[in-house]
Amino acid sequence: MKQFIHLVKEEFRRIFSNDVVMAIFFGAPILYGLMFGFVYQQAKVLDLPIVIIDQDNSPASDMVIDAFDDNEVLLVSDIRPLAGNIAQEMPHMGYAAVITIPSNFEADLLQKRYPEIRVDLNMGNILNANTASVNIQSVLLTLNAGIEISGLQKQGLAPEVAAKSYEPFKINFNKLYNSTGNYVSFMLPGLLGGIMQQVIFLAMALVFARDFEDGYFSKLIDVNRLSIYHVAVKSTPFLLFIPVMWLIVSRFIPFFNIDADIYNPAMFILVALLSIASMMIGMLFSVMIPNQLKATELLMVISTPAFVLSGFTWPTMAMPDAIAHIAQYIPLTQFLSGFRKAAVYGGGIDAIMPEIKWLFMIALVCFIAILIALQIKIKLKLKKQG
């Protein structure tokens, strides 16, 4: 036991002497967590620039322009009588949409000829385009209803009757789970999970690879020749560090006013299993690839697309079956699936049981593979020395 404690202390010393591990493990979660949180702090997209081509220049077209001015999401950045080179300006000026009010707009309205307002959307950014589209439709549909109701009133109908004639039934949307459409509440928890997985991957990728490179592995096997012993030595410091980092990272949730219940037993199990599964994958690469640079590079191949493949922003059901199947073996996929159930939807341990089984299986398979691969390396090293 004294020898084990001595080796763990030595492992702490080696970790703190490795600037790369220190920067990755302790700096990255805090730096990226703050950076991403402030990036999305506005919570939703505001002041999307639009251009209005007013070919009518009438009280009716002024009414349309005023309605767009009153919308908080849209910003009327320019009003002009002719389009000119608007198609060339759009990508350079970043216009989200160009709205064209046709000539004779007011006259056609009065004569019930149903004029058409044209909307050209900039689809270069899907998020901005969708947000602009929803708000443009909302403004125009409201105007449409108001004009129709006003027309019915002019025909002699009472205001209440006119409104009911145009709107035979009402629609009531009740938004559940992030009802305000807060973008930081949607994105930041998933990004934090992805950051922690990547940090653990990269930190664990160096533990054995560094020993192979600098010859420290030979000293380790002189002390003990069992692979499980060395896995325990290497894991102990990180089993102490990782909960501290999770505690720090978790504080970003209340700091950015995200409505998610993360302090519950289900989330504790998810966090623990994600950490262990990520540790085992990182350590497996460290054992199999005796080179720090190559081990980290190959792990980046897994961690870089992990967030996209996780199904957090783009559903896995919309992915090709082969890719969706591969994504199931990435710990982050299971963690984020369970996160929504436990922290957003309020589910308990029973609700996340499928994710628990997946994470446990990933960790167990990688752990067994580590023991086998490391034991083979120990035997080969001893044979070479002998």
PDB file of all heavy atoms in Angstrom, residues 201-202 204-206 209 282 284-301:
ATOM      1  N   PHE A 201     -10.566  12.961 -22.421  1.00  0.00           N
ATOM      2  CA  PHE A 201      -9.914  12.188 -23.493  1.00  0.00           C
ATOM      3  C   PHE A 201      -8.435  12.556 -23.604  1.00  0.00           C
ATOM      4  O   PHE A 201      -7.549  11.700 -23.555  1.00  0.00           O
ATOM      5  CB  PHE A 201     -10.581  12.496 -24.840  1.00  0.00           C
ATOM      6  CG  PHE A 201     -11.773  11.639 -25.164  1.00  0.00           C
ATOM      7  CD1 PHE A 201     -12.520  11.899 -26.311  1.00  0.00           C
ATOM      8  CD2 PHE A 201     -12.162  10.588 -24.355  1.00  0.00           C
ATOM      9  CE1 PHE A 201     -13.621  11.125 -26.631  1.00  0.00           C
ATOM     10  CE2 PHE A 201     -13.268   9.815 -24.664  1.00  0.00           C
ATOM     11  CZ  PHE A 201     -13.995  10.084 -25.810  1.00  0.00           C
ATOM     12  N   LEU A 202      -8.181  13.846 -23.789  1.00  0.00           N
ATOM     13  CA  LEU A 202      -6.829  14.299 -24.098  1.00  0.00           C
ATOM     14  C   LEU A 202      -5.891  14.155 -22.904  1.00  0.00           C
ATOM     15  O   LEU A 202      -4.708  13.826 -23.069  1.00  0.00           O
ATOM     16  CB  LEU A 202      -6.862  15.748 -24.583  1.00  0.00           C
ATOM     17  CG  LEU A 202      -7.651  15.989 -25.869  1.00  0.00           C
ATOM     18  CD1 LEU A 202      -7.592  17.453 -26.276  1.00  0.00           C
ATOM     19  CD2 LEU A 202      -7.123  15.122 -27.005  1.00  0.00           C
ATOM     20  N   MET A 204      -6.114  11.882 -20.474  1.00  0.00           N
ATOM     21  CA  MET A 204      -5.828  10.453 -20.267  1.00  0.00           C
ATOM     22  C   MET A 204      -4.982   9.882 -21.394  1.00  0.00           C
ATOM     23  O   MET A 204      -4.280   8.878 -21.209  1.00  0.00           O
ATOM     24  CB  MET A 204      -7.135   9.669 -20.157  1.00  0.00           C
ATOM     25  CG  MET A 204      -8.007  10.060 -18.982  1.00  0.00           C
ATOM     26  SD  MET A 204      -7.176   9.983 -17.376  1.00  0.00           S
ATOM     27  CE  MET A 204      -6.811   8.244 -17.249  1.00  0.00           C
ATOM     28  N   ALA A 205      -5.023  10.501 -22.562  1.00  0.00           N
ATOM     29  CA  ALA A 205      -4.225  10.004 -23.689  1.00  0.00           C
ATOM     30  C   ALA A 205      -2.735  10.119 -23.429  1.00  0.00           C
ATOM     31  O   ALA A 205      -1.925   9.450 -24.083  1.00  0.00           O
ATOM     32  CB  ALA A 205      -4.587  10.774 -24.959  1.00  0.00           C
ATOM     33  N   LEU A 206      -2.355  10.965 -22.460  1.00  0.00           N
ATOM     34  CA  LEU A 206      -0.939  11.209 -22.202  1.00  0.00           C
ATOM     35  C   LEU A 206      -0.366  10.336 -21.083  1.00  0.00           C
ATOM     36  O   LEU A 206       0.857  10.259 -20.941  1.00  0.00           O
ATOM     37  CB  LEU A 206      -0.734  12.680 -21.842  1.00  0.00           C
ATOM     38  CG  LEU A 206      -1.226  13.710 -22.865  1.00  0.00           C
ATOM     39  CD1 LEU A 206      -1.037  15.121 -22.324  1.00  0.00           C
ATOM     40  CD2 LEU A 206      -0.505  13.552 -24.191  1.00  0.00           C
ATOM     41  N   ALA A 209       1.248   7.001 -22.614  1.00  0.00           N
ATOM     42  CA  ALA A 209       2.074   7.342 -23.780  1.00  0.00           C
ATOM     43  C   ALA A 209       3.337   8.082 -23.347  1.00  0.00           C
ATOM     44  O   ALA A 209       4.430   7.846 -23.878  1.00  0.00           O
ATOM     45  CB  ALA A 209       1.262   8.193 -24.753  1.00  0.00           C
ATOM     46  N   GLY A 282      -9.752   7.291 -23.277  1.00  0.00           N
ATOM     47  CA  GLY A 282      -8.490   8.002 -23.353  1.00  0.00           C
ATOM     48  C   GLY A 282      -7.317   7.136 -22.946  1.00  0.00           C
ATOM     49  O   GLY A 282      -6.262   7.141 -23.599  1.00  0.00           O
ATOM     50  N   LEU A 284      -7.166   3.859 -23.038  1.00  0.00           N
ATOM     51  CA  LEU A 284      -6.981   2.799 -24.031  1.00  0.00           C
ATOM     52  C   LEU A 284      -6.125   3.298 -25.192  1.00  0.00           C
ATOM     53  O   LEU A 284      -5.209   2.599 -25.639  1.00  0.00           O
ATOM     54  CB  LEU A 284      -8.343   2.321 -24.540  1.00  0.00           C
ATOM     55  CG  LEU A 284      -8.313   1.223 -25.618  1.00  0.00           C
ATOM     56  CD1 LEU A 284      -7.609  -0.031 -25.108  1.00  0.00           C
ATOM     57  CD2 LEU A 284      -9.729   0.901 -26.083  1.00  0.00           C
ATOM     58  N   PHE A 285      -6.401   4.502 -25.657  1.00  0.00           N
ATOM     59  CA  PHE A 285      -5.578   5.078 -26.727  1.00  0.00           C
ATOM     60  C   PHE A 285      -4.149   5.293 -26.249  1.00  0.00           C
ATOM     61  O   PHE A 285      -3.199   5.106 -27.010  1.00  0.00           O
ATOM     62  CB  PHE A 285      -6.178   6.411 -27.202  1.00  0.00           C
ATOM     63  CG  PHE A 285      -7.228   6.258 -28.267  1.00  0.00           C
ATOM     64  CD1 PHE A 285      -8.477   5.737 -27.981  1.00  0.00           C
ATOM     65  CD2 PHE A 285      -6.950   6.624 -29.577  1.00  0.00           C
ATOM     66  CE1 PHE A 285      -9.439   5.591 -28.959  1.00  0.00           C
ATOM     67  CE2 PHE A 285      -7.907   6.483 -30.571  1.00  0.00           C
ATOM     68  CZ  PHE A 285      -9.154   5.957 -30.269  1.00  0.00           C
ATOM     69  N   SER A 286      -4.001   5.680 -24.983  1.00  0.00           N
ATOM     70  CA  SER A 286      -2.675   5.913 -24.435  1.00  0.00           C
ATOM     71  C   SER A 286      -1.854   4.625 -24.370  1.00  0.00           C
ATOM     72  O   SER A 286      -0.641   4.641 -24.575  1.00  0.00           O
ATOM     73  CB  SER A 286      -2.798   6.519 -23.035  1.00  0.00           C
ATOM     74  OG  SER A 286      -1.538   6.909 -22.541  1.00  0.00           O
ATOM     75  N   VAL A 287      -2.523   3.511 -24.087  1.00  0.00           N
ATOM     76  CA  VAL A 287      -1.846   2.212 -24.023  1.00  0.00           C
ATOM     77  C   VAL A 287      -1.535   1.693 -25.425  1.00  0.00           C
ATOM     78  O   VAL A 287      -0.443   1.185 -25.690  1.00  0.00           O
ATOM     79  CB  VAL A 287      -2.703   1.192 -23.248  1.00  0.00           C
ATOM     80  CG1 VAL A 287      -2.108  -0.213 -23.360  1.00  0.00           C
ATOM     81  CG2 VAL A 287      -2.817   1.597 -21.784  1.00  0.00           C
ATOM     82  N   MET A 288      -2.500   1.823 -26.314  1.00  0.00           N
ATOM     83  CA  MET A 288      -2.347   1.252 -27.658  1.00  0.00           C
ATOM     84  C   MET A 288      -1.388   2.051 -28.537  1.00  0.00           C
ATOM     85  O   MET A 288      -0.761   1.490 -29.440  1.00  0.00           O
ATOM     86  CB  MET A 288      -3.718   1.179 -28.343  1.00  0.00           C
ATOM     87  CG  MET A 288      -4.728   0.295 -27.621  1.00  0.00           C
ATOM     88  SD  MET A 288      -4.248  -1.434 -27.585  1.00  0.00           S
ATOM     89  CE  MET A 288      -4.404  -1.868 -29.304  1.00  0.00           C
ATOM     90  N   ILE A 289      -1.278   3.358 -28.282  1.00  0.00           N
ATOM     91  CA  ILE A 289      -0.450   4.220 -29.140  1.00  0.00           C
ATOM     92  C   ILE A 289       0.636   4.848 -28.274  1.00  0.00           C
ATOM     93  O   ILE A 289       0.384   5.830 -27.564  1.00  0.00           O
ATOM     94  CB  ILE A 289      -1.303   5.307 -29.814  1.00  0.00           C
ATOM     95  CG1 ILE A 289      -2.455   4.656 -30.583  1.00  0.00           C
ATOM     96  CG2 ILE A 289      -0.464   6.166 -30.752  1.00  0.00           C
ATOM     97  CD1 ILE A 289      -3.553   5.588 -30.943  1.00  0.00           C
ATOM     98  N   PRO A 290       1.834   4.310 -28.261  1.00  0.00           N
ATOM     99  CA  PRO A 290       2.904   4.778 -27.364  1.00  0.00           C
ATOM    100  C   PRO A 290       3.552   6.083 -27.804  1.00  0.00           C
ATOM    101  O   PRO A 290       4.773   6.219 -27.790  1.00  0.00           O
ATOM    102  CB  PRO A 290       3.896   3.614 -27.398  1.00  0.00           C
ATOM    103  CG  PRO A 290       3.743   3.040 -28.756  1.00  0.00           C
ATOM    104  CD  PRO A 290       2.282   3.183 -29.097  1.00  0.00           C
ATOM    105  N   ASN A 291       2.753   7.032 -28.213  1.00  0.00           N
ATOM    106  CA  ASN A 291       3.255   8.327 -28.658  1.00  0.00           C
ATOM    107  C   ASN A 291       2.216   9.381 -28.294  1.00  0.00           C
ATOM    108  O   ASN A 291       1.061   9.294 -28.703  1.00  0.00           O
ATOM    109  CB  ASN A 291       3.509   8.313 -30.169  1.00  0.00           C
ATOM    110  CG  ASN A 291       4.031   9.636 -30.693  1.00  0.00           C
ATOM    111  OD1 ASN A 291       3.275  10.588 -30.837  1.00  0.00           O
ATOM    112  ND2 ASN A 291       5.329   9.697 -30.954  1.00  0.00           N
ATOM    113  N   GLN A 292       2.628  10.371 -27.502  1.00  0.00           N
ATOM    114  CA  GLN A 292       1.668  11.358 -26.996  1.00  0.00           C
ATOM    115  C   GLN A 292       0.967  12.117 -28.112  1.00  0.00           C
ATOM    116  O   GLN A 292      -0.250  12.314 -28.082  1.00  0.00           O
ATOM    117  CB  GLN A 292       2.389  12.352 -26.082  1.00  0.00           C
ATOM    118  CG  GLN A 292       2.956  11.735 -24.815  1.00  0.00           C
ATOM    119  CD  GLN A 292       3.624  12.759 -23.940  1.00  0.00           C
ATOM    120  OE1 GLN A 292       2.964  13.498 -23.208  1.00  0.00           O
ATOM    121  NE2 GLN A 292       4.950  12.829 -24.000  1.00  0.00           N
ATOM    122  N   LEU A 293       1.727  12.558 -29.092  1.00  0.00           N
ATOM    123  CA  LEU A 293       1.154  13.351 -30.169  1.00  0.00           C
ATOM    124  C   LEU A 293       0.153  12.542 -30.985  1.00  0.00           C
ATOM    125  O   LEU A 293      -0.964  13.002 -31.259  1.00  0.00           O
ATOM    126  CB  LEU A 293       2.262  13.888 -31.072  1.00  0.00           C
ATOM    127  CG  LEU A 293       1.809  14.763 -32.251  1.00  0.00           C
ATOM    128  CD1 LEU A 293       1.058  15.979 -31.742  1.00  0.00           C
ATOM    129  CD2 LEU A 293       3.003  15.180 -33.108  1.00  0.00           C
ATOM    130  N   LYS A 294       0.514  11.317 -31.349  1.00  0.00           N
ATOM    131  CA  LYS A 294      -0.384  10.489 -32.155  1.00  0.00           C
ATOM    132  C   LYS A 294      -1.632  10.102 -31.375  1.00  0.00           C
ATOM    133  O   LYS A 294      -2.737  10.072 -31.938  1.00  0.00           O
ATOM    134  CB  LYS A 294       0.360   9.235 -32.641  1.00  0.00           C
ATOM    135  CG  LYS A 294       1.401   9.513 -33.712  1.00  0.00           C
ATOM    136  CD  LYS A 294       2.052   8.224 -34.192  1.00  0.00           C
ATOM    137  CE  LYS A 294       3.081   8.510 -35.284  1.00  0.00           C
ATOM    138  NZ  LYS A 294       3.744   7.269 -35.748  1.00  0.00           N
ATOM    139  N   ALA A 295      -1.455   9.799 -30.094  1.00  0.00           N
ATOM    140  CA  ALA A 295      -2.607   9.417 -29.266  1.00  0.00           C
ATOM    141  C   ALA A 295      -3.621  10.560 -29.193  1.00  0.00           C
ATOM    142  O   ALA A 295      -4.833  10.353 -29.338  1.00  0.00           O
ATOM    143  CB  ALA A 295      -2.144   9.019 -27.871  1.00  0.00           C
ATOM    144  N   THR A 296      -3.128  11.782 -28.963  1.00  0.00           N
ATOM    145  CA  THR A 296      -4.040  12.920 -28.871  1.00  0.00           C
ATOM    146  C   THR A 296      -4.662  13.255 -30.221  1.00  0.00           C
ATOM    147  O   THR A 296      -5.842  13.631 -30.305  1.00  0.00           O
ATOM    148  CB  THR A 296      -3.310  14.158 -28.324  1.00  0.00           C
ATOM    149  OG1 THR A 296      -2.139  14.405 -29.113  1.00  0.00           O
ATOM    150  CG2 THR A 296      -2.894  13.945 -26.882  1.00  0.00           C
ATOM    151  N   GLU A 297      -3.885  13.117 -31.296  1.00  0.00           N
ATOM    152  CA  GLU A 297      -4.413  13.399 -32.631  1.00  0.00           C
ATOM    153  C   GLU A 297      -5.550  12.446 -32.985  1.00  0.00           C
ATOM    154  O   GLU A 297      -6.586  12.861 -33.524  1.00  0.00           O
ATOM    155  CB  GLU A 297      -3.297  13.293 -33.675  1.00  0.00           C
ATOM    156  CG  GLU A 297      -2.347  14.481 -33.675  1.00  0.00           C
ATOM    157  CD  GLU A 297      -1.205  14.302 -34.663  1.00  0.00           C
ATOM    158  OE1 GLU A 297      -0.981  13.150 -35.098  1.00  0.00           O
ATOM    159  OE2 GLU A 297      -0.548  15.302 -34.990  1.00  0.00           O
ATOM    160  N   LEU A 298      -5.360  11.161 -32.690  1.00  0.00           N
ATOM    161  CA  LEU A 298      -6.404  10.180 -33.011  1.00  0.00           C
ATOM    162  C   LEU A 298      -7.646  10.380 -32.142  1.00  0.00           C
ATOM    163  O   LEU A 298      -8.772  10.193 -32.611  1.00  0.00           O
ATOM    164  CB  LEU A 298      -5.861   8.759 -32.851  1.00  0.00           C
ATOM    165  CG  LEU A 298      -4.875   8.323 -33.943  1.00  0.00           C
ATOM    166  CD1 LEU A 298      -4.234   6.980 -33.592  1.00  0.00           C
ATOM    167  CD2 LEU A 298      -5.576   8.218 -35.293  1.00  0.00           C
ATOM    168  N   LEU A 299      -7.442  10.755 -30.885  1.00  0.00           N
ATOM    169  CA  LEU A 299      -8.596  11.023 -30.027  1.00  0.00           C
ATOM    170  C   LEU A 299      -9.369  12.249 -30.500  1.00  0.00           C
ATOM    171  O   LEU A 299     -10.583  12.331 -30.331  1.00  0.00           O
ATOM    172  CB  LEU A 299      -8.154  11.204 -28.578  1.00  0.00           C
ATOM    173  CG  LEU A 299      -8.088   9.920 -27.759  1.00  0.00           C
ATOM    174  CD1 LEU A 299      -7.447  10.174 -26.412  1.00  0.00           C
ATOM    175  CD2 LEU A 299      -9.461   9.310 -27.583  1.00  0.00           C
ATOM    176  N   MET A 300      -8.665  13.201 -31.096  1.00  0.00           N
ATOM    177  CA  MET A 300      -9.345  14.366 -31.650  1.00  0.00           C
ATOM    178  C   MET A 300     -10.277  13.978 -32.787  1.00  0.00           C
ATOM    179  O   MET A 300     -11.297  14.626 -33.024  1.00  0.00           O
ATOM    180  CB  MET A 300      -8.315  15.380 -32.147  1.00  0.00           C
ATOM    181  CG  MET A 300      -7.615  16.154 -31.042  1.00  0.00           C
ATOM    182  SD  MET A 300      -8.733  17.207 -30.105  1.00  0.00           S
ATOM    183  CE  MET A 300      -9.099  18.459 -31.337  1.00  0.00           C
ATOM    184  N   VAL A 301      -9.921  12.896 -33.486  1.00  0.00           N
ATOM    185  CA  VAL A 301     -10.786  12.407 -34.566  1.00  0.00           C
ATOM    186  C   VAL A 301     -12.149  11.997 -34.000  1.00  0.00           C
ATOM    187  O   VAL A 301     -13.187  12.163 -34.646  1.00  0.00           O
ATOM    188  CB  VAL A 301     -10.123  11.224 -35.300  1.00  0.00           C
ATOM    189  CG1 VAL A 301     -11.075  10.603 -36.318  1.00  0.00           C
ATOM    190  CG2 VAL A 301      -8.841  11.681 -35.985  1.00  0.00           C
TER     191      VAL A 301
END
